[in-house]
Amino acid sequence: MLFRSKRWMIKSSFVFEKEIFLSLYIIRKLIESENISTNNKNLKVSCFITPSNGKNVHRFNTSSVDRLYNFPKTKKANIRLNDLCNQIIHSYIFDPTFDLDQKLVGFWVSSQYKRHTALYSFILEDIIDVLELIGKDYPNYMNTSYDLKKRDYIIEQYMIDDSKQK
C-alpha cells in the first residue's frame, strides 16, 4: 500500500508524484473544456500556506524546505481547484509528507512561479475527496449565453437529480 511503507524509496516518491500530477492534469483539462459542473469548477481546496523566508529557491536546495520557508508563519487557507492544478502541473518543489509512523499524509508543493513566495501543503485525504468528487461529476444540465466581449459562449453546467423532478 502506498500510504504506509516501512521504507519510502525514491521510486515510491516518483510514483506518488506522477499519480498526483496525472490526476490534477486531467482535472485541469476537464475545467478548461467545460466538462465539470460549475460548482466543482469553482471548488476551494483546503491547504496550508507557508511564506518564503526570502532565500533563493533553486534546483540544488529544494529538498531543504525547512531552510527556505518560514514554518512558524504557516496559515490555513483555501485555494481554487484550478490553482491547485497549476501548482502541481508547474511544480518546482514536490515532496511527500509523513507522520511520525512514516505514514504518507500529504505533500508539499510550490510551482516554478510561486517558489519564491510560498510553499503549499495539502493533506492527502482532502485531495482524495477532491478526486472522488470530480470523478463522480457528470453534468446533465447546461445554461449558455453568448458574451460579445469574449466572442464566445459562457457555459454553466450542473448535476440535477432527475428523480426529484418527476
Side-chain angles (χ1 to χ4, degrees):
M1 177 85 181
L2 185 59
F3 294 155
R4 186 179 300 278
S5 178
K6 297 268 187 221
R7 193 173 45 175
W8 189 262
M9 298 181 199
I10 292 174
K11 182 179 178 186
S12 301
S13 183
F14 291 139
V15 169
F16 176 61
E17 182 175 4
K18 182 174 92 172
E19 289 175 357
I20 295 292
F21 173 86
L22 290 173
S23 299
L24 291 167
Y25 180 78
I26 291 167
I27 290 174
R28 189 172 90 169
K29 176 61 178 153
L30 290 171
I31 291 169
E32 290 175 356
S33 61
E34 303 285 348
N35 285 319
I36 65 170
S37 299
T38 300
N39 294 355
N40 288 337
K41 185 169 76 172
N42 297 321
L43 184 70
K44 300 279 186 172
V45 181
S46 177
C47 69
F48 295 91
I49 300 176
T50 304
S52 167
N53 65 11
K55 292 186 179 172
N56 184 32
V57 179
H58 54 74
R59 292 277 175 218
F60 295 112
N61 69 359
T62 58
S63 62
S64 302
V65 293
D66 56 320
R67 289 184 262 177
L68 300 171
Y69 298 94
N70 193 345
F71 282 92
K73 293 192 176 182
T74 298
K75 293 196 169 137
K76 189 164 177 56
N78 293 306
I79 67 169
R80 291 182 16 223
L81 179 57
N82 197 52
D83 292 334
L84 165 60
C85 294
N86 289 334
Q87 284 298 312
I88 298 297
I89 292 166
H90 300 285
S91 62
Y92 196 88
I93 295 173
F94 185 95
D95 283 320
T97 56
F98 303 90
D99 66 12
L100 295 174
D101 295 326
Q102 293 304 304
K103 180 182 175 196
L104 176 66
V105 293
F107 57 88
W108 286 322
V109 65
S110 192
S111 71
Q112 62 193 34
Y113 307 107
K114 296 281 188 172
R115 72 182 196 259
H116 295 299
T117 307
L119 181 70
Y120 296 80
S121 177
F122 295 91
I123 296 170
L124 190 55
E125 290 176 4
D126 294 340
I127 300 303
I128 291 169
D129 289 346
V130 168
L131 296 176
E132 288 176 347
L133 179 68
I134 299 302
K136 295 175 183 174
D137 187 339
Y138 294 98
N140 59 2
Y141 174 79
M142 182 187 322
N143 184 26
T144 63
S145 60
Y146 191 78
D147 186 323
L148 290 172
K149 286 185 180 179
K150 290 183 179 181
R151 297 172 49 191
D152 203 355
Y153 283 90
I154 305 297
I155 299 172
E156 293 180 340
Q157 296 191 91
Y158 303 96
M159 289 191 319
I160 297 176
D161 186 353
D162 291 332
S163 65
K164 292 181 181 177
Q165 295 198 358
K166 292 181 180 177

